[in-house]
């Protein structure tokens, strides 16, 4: 019996020593710093945004189809009925939710890059505006962060101005995703949607349009600043019809967020991209960014590169119900001149050299 008790005591002593050793080892491990914690939150904020834009629409559609064949079939049926009655809402101003625009996660999203908004001139609340957003980049991070979220202080810099951003109309045909887009102030890039906002919602509305669109994303790569703008004049015609002032904006650093495999003009891969662009509205790009676990690995998350969106001087535009081609061309040239001025005056401040030029195609 004494032998058994001694053995048990020895085991207990050994266990206590092992536990103490384990605790000392655990305490010796460096705990994540506040900076590491912030970095993790920023990465998660960007991750949810990328997954939302790339997968939310498709996953929601497939999930609702799946529910049709379960005991919960009534849920997708009722939602389908809701969409039928709510079909025109995206083109009638949408449904902005200020609480979502002020969501704390957008501050972490902003700080990941970081994104900054710079004001050069005042915008009067007695006018409406069409803001040209350049360049498109891959995912329009600068435009989204500045004009949809409240994280960079757009409403503080431009008091009395409500900002909206346009995107492909097809996105508003996807269930759940359409609600997500409208809640932030996103609208279809259609004449009806833009015209409604500029004519039926009073003044103080600023509609941001990424003018280069899908075609411009094909030329997106670091060190190259090429805009598709020379023959894009529809936004000028809309501005004239509604008397909305034209405002250029440029996001320095937008093209540095991803690396893209760029196919030369005339190649068969480039022709495939062009065909997809005409059929479905966007061009499939082969691009990569950083991975989830390390900035040195490859993945689908954008690199942490600073983005500075500079909003330029507004071009005053008269209201002309049926503008002539000559009038549209005139204000299109005035807009390009204002954009070039904005670019040249700010390029050396935000990462470009004096010799860098803005190429407009």
């Amino acid at each position: 019996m004494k032998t058994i008790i001694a053995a048990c005591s020895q085991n207990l002593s050994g266990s206590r020593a092992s536990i103490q050793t384990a605790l000392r080892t655990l305490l010796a491990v460096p705990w994540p710093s506040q900076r590491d914690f912030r970095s993790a939150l920023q990465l998660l904020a960007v991750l949810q945004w990328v997954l939302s834009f790339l997968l939310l629409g498709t996953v929601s559609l497939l999930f609702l189809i799946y529910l049709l064949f379960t005991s919960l079939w009534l849920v997708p049926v009722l939602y389908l009925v809701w969409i039928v009655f709510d079909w025109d809402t995206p083109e009638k101003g949408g449904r902005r939710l200020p609480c979502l625009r002020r969501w704390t996660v957008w501050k972490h999203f902003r700080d990941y890059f970081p994104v900054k908004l710079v004001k050069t001139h005042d915008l009067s609340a007695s006018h409406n505006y069409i803001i040209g957003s350049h360049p498109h980049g891959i995912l329009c991070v600068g435009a989204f962060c500045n004009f949809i979220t409240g994280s960079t202080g757009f409403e503080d810099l431009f008091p009395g101005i409500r900002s909206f951003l346009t995107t492909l109309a097809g996105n508003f045909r996807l269930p759940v995703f359409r609600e997500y887009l409208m809640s932030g102030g996103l609208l279809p890039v259609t004449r009806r949607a833009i015209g409604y906002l500029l004519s039926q919602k009073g003044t103080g509305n600023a509609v941001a349009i990424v003018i280069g669109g899908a075609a411009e994303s094909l030329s997106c790569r670091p060190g190259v600043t090429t805009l598709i703008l020379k023959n894009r004049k529809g936004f000028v015609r809309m501005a004239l019809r509604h008397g909305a002032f034209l405002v250029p904006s440029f996001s320095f650093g937008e093209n540095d967020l991803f690396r893209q495999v760029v196919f030369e003009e005339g190649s068969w891969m480039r022709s495939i991209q062009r065909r997809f662009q005409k059929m479905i509205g966007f061009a499939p790009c082969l691009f990569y960014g950083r991975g989830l676990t390390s900035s040195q690995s490859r993945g689908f998350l954008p690199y942490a590169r600073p983005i500075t969106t500079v909003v330029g001087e507004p071009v005053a535009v008269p209201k002309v119900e049926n503008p002539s081609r000559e009038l549209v061309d005139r204000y299109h040239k005035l807009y390009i001149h204002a954009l070039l001025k904005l670019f040249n005056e700010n390029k050396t401040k935000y990462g470009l050299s004096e010799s860098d030029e803005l190429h407009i195609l």
Side-chain angles (χ1 to χ4, degrees), residues 316-350:
V317 175
K319 185 175 182 179
V320 181
E321 189 68 28
N322 295 301
S324 64
R325 180 180 298 179
E326 292 75 17
L327 190 63
V328 171
D329 289 343
R330 175 188 172 191
Y331 279 93
H332 186 260
K333 290 178 181 178
L334 289 174
Y335 175 82
I336 291 179
H337 179 268
L339 176 61
L340 289 170
K341 179 183 177 184
L342 174 70
F343 178 82
N344 291 323
E345 288 181 350
N346 292 277
K347 61 184 179 181
T348 57
K349 299 177 185 177
Y350 305 114

Side-chain angles (χ1 to χ4, degrees), residues 50-348:
V50 172
L51 292 179
S52 295
F53 269 82
L54 294 182
L55 299 177
L56 180 59
T58 303
V59 171
S60 298
L61 178 61
L62 294 176
F63 183 65
L64 289 174
I65 293 174
Y66 165 76
L67 289 181
L68 283 172
F69 300 95
T70 68
S71 58
L72 298 175
W73 61 269
L74 189 59
V75 174
V77 170
L78 290 176
Y79 183 69
L80 179 61
V81 173
W82 157 255
I83 287 182
V84 171
F85 282 99
D86 195 56
W87 191 257
D88 290 335
T89 299
E91 295 192 328
K92 291 185 177 181
R95 275 191 300 271
R96 282 165 49 111
L97 294 179
C99 59
L100 184 63
R101 291 168 67 95
R102 294 193 298 266
W103 200 16
T104 304
V105 72
W106 300 130
K107 294 182 179 179
H108 299 302
F109 179 87
R110 171 201 66 194
D111 294 339
Y112 170 83
F113 297 96
V115 181
K116 181 181 178 182
L117 181 64
V118 175
K119 167 186 172 181
T120 61
H121 292 79
D122 291 329
L123 298 182
S124 172
S126 61
H127 297 289
N128 284 325
Y129 302 90
I130 290 181
I131 301 178
S133 179
H134 311 274
H136 183 284
I138 296 294
L139 294 179
C140 303
V141 173
F144 176 85
C145 191
N146 288 299
F147 303 129
I148 291 302
T149 80
S151 61
T152 57
F154 182 92
E155 293 180 354
D156 296 327
L157 289 173
F158 302 100
I161 305 296
R162 296 175 296 276
S163 60
F164 299 83
L165 179 65
T166 57
T167 186
L168 293 174
N171 289 330
F172 295 89
R173 305 298 178 241
L174 294 172
V176 181
F177 191 44
R178 69 192 293 273
E179 323 299 341
Y180 176 77
L181 295 177
M182 284 192 291
S183 64
L186 281 149
L187 301 170
V189 60
T190 62
R191 293 180 181 178
R192 184 184 177 191
I194 298 171
Y196 183 90
L197 199 62
L198 297 178
S199 62
Q200 304 295 324
K201 288 289 187 176
T203 60
N205 300 299
V207 184
I209 304 175
V210 187
I211 298 169
E216 194 171 278
S217 66
L218 296 178
S219 301
C220 168
R221 59 183 185 270
V224 177
T225 313
T226 302
L227 304 183
I228 306 298
L229 180 58
K230 188 174 293 185
N231 295 317
R232 300 290 175 98
K233 300 178 181 179
F235 72 103
V236 178
R237 186 171 286 104
M238 286 292 297
L240 284 164
R241 284 177 177 171
H242 299 284
F245 288 15
L246 291 168
V247 183
S249 73
F250 195 93
S251 293
F252 294 91
E254 182 73 44
N255 285 349
D256 298 331
L257 304 183
F258 293 95
R259 301 291 182 268
Q260 183 182 178
V261 179
V262 178
F263 300 101
E264 297 297 327
E265 290 291 345
S267 65
W268 65 276
M269 281 298 297
R270 190 72 162 191
S271 64
I272 290 176
Q273 289 178 315
R274 295 292 188 192
R275 288 178 184 176
F276 264 91
Q277 177 193 332
K278 291 179 180 180
M279 287 190 296
I280 58 180
F282 69 91
C285 303
L286 296 179
F287 66 89
Y288 65 89
R290 60 156 290 176
L292 181 61
T293 58
S294 169
S295 60
Q296 305 302 319
S297 61
R298 291 188 179 184
F300 57 88
L301 295 178
Y303 291 108
R305 303 287 187 270
I307 303 173
T308 303
T309 300
V310 185
V311 179
E313 181 178 4
V315 177
V317 175
K319 185 175 182 179
V320 181
E321 189 68 28
N322 295 301
S324 64
R325 180 180 298 179
E326 292 75 17
L327 190 63
V328 171
D329 289 343
R330 175 188 172 191
Y331 279 93
H332 186 260
K333 290 178 181 178
L334 289 174
Y335 175 82
I336 291 179
H337 179 268
L339 176 61
L340 289 170
K341 179 183 177 184
L342 174 70
F343 178 82
N344 291 323
E345 288 181 350
N346 292 277
K347 61 184 179 181
T348 57

